[in-house]
Amino acid sequence: MKAAIHKSSIPESQIFMIKYLEDQYFDPVWHSHSEYQLFVPLEGTGTRFIGDSIKAFGPNELILTGSNLPHLWRSDDAYFEKNSQLKVSGIVVYLQESLLGEHLMGKEELVQLCKLLKDRNAD
C-alpha cells in the first residue's frame, strides 16, 4: 500500500481546530496527522479507509480517528463524474494529542477516555 502523506492541521498555538468542509467530493488522498480527528459527514456517500478498515459511509456518522492513523474518505464514483451536481459537506474537529494534558489524563475519571484514545491509535 502507498505511504500516507503526513498533514499537520493545528498550529502549535492552538489545542483544537474546527473546519466546515464543502466541496464536490471529499479529499481522496491517503494521509495521516498527529492530531485526533472527529469527523461527521453531513452530506455525501462513499467509502472510508481508516488503517486497515474499509467501510461505507453516509451522512451523520461520527468517527473518531486516532493520531498518526492513515485514513481517507473517498466519495462514490458519481461525485467524480465530469458534469456531476453532487456535493459533499462535513464538520471535522482536529484535537491535539495533549488536549487535556498529562495531569488531567492521569485522573481516575478520565481513565476510560484515555483508554479510548489509545485504542483509536491502535486501529
Side-chain angles (χ1 to χ4, degrees):
M1 177 171 279
K2 195 172 168 182
I5 295 172
H6 185 79
K7 296 182 177 183
S8 185
S9 302
I10 304 176
E12 287 295 318
S13 61
Q14 296 177 254
I15 56 171
F16 70 91
M17 180 184 291
I18 301 172
K19 289 184 180 181
Y20 176 73
L21 308 174
E22 188 173 52
D23 212 330
Q24 292 179 308
Y25 49 81
F26 289 119
D27 180 6
V29 176
W30 183 243
H31 68 279
S32 68
H33 35 79
S34 57
E35 299 84 11
Y36 293 103
Q37 175 181 297
L38 275 173
F39 181 61
V40 178
L42 301 173
E43 182 179 10
T45 59
T47 305
R48 69 173 181 251
F49 300 79
I50 303 173
D52 61 0
S53 173
I54 302 172
K55 295 185 179 180
F57 74 84
N60 303 315
E61 298 176 347
L62 177 64
I63 304 296
L64 173 64
T65 304
S67 63
N68 299 307
L69 183 62
H71 59 275
L72 71 87
W73 271 253
R74 187 178 193 299
S75 299
D76 288 329
D77 289 342
Y79 290 84
F80 295 92
E81 292 177 4
K82 185 176 181 179
N83 296 318
S84 175
Q85 297 298 308
L86 296 170
K87 300 282 183 196
V88 298
S89 65
I91 298 172
V92 62
V93 180
Y94 299 102
L95 306 160
Q96 287 283 13
E97 200 170 6
S98 61
L99 175 70
L100 298 175
E102 286 185 40
H103 179 71
L104 284 177
M105 291 304 281
K107 299 298 181 185
E108 185 176 327
E109 297 87 354
L110 295 179
V111 168
Q112 290 302 317
L113 176 61
C114 190
K115 181 181 178 336
L116 171 68
L117 295 175
K118 285 182 181 175
D119 288 350
R120 291 288 89 199
N121 282 343
D123 283 352

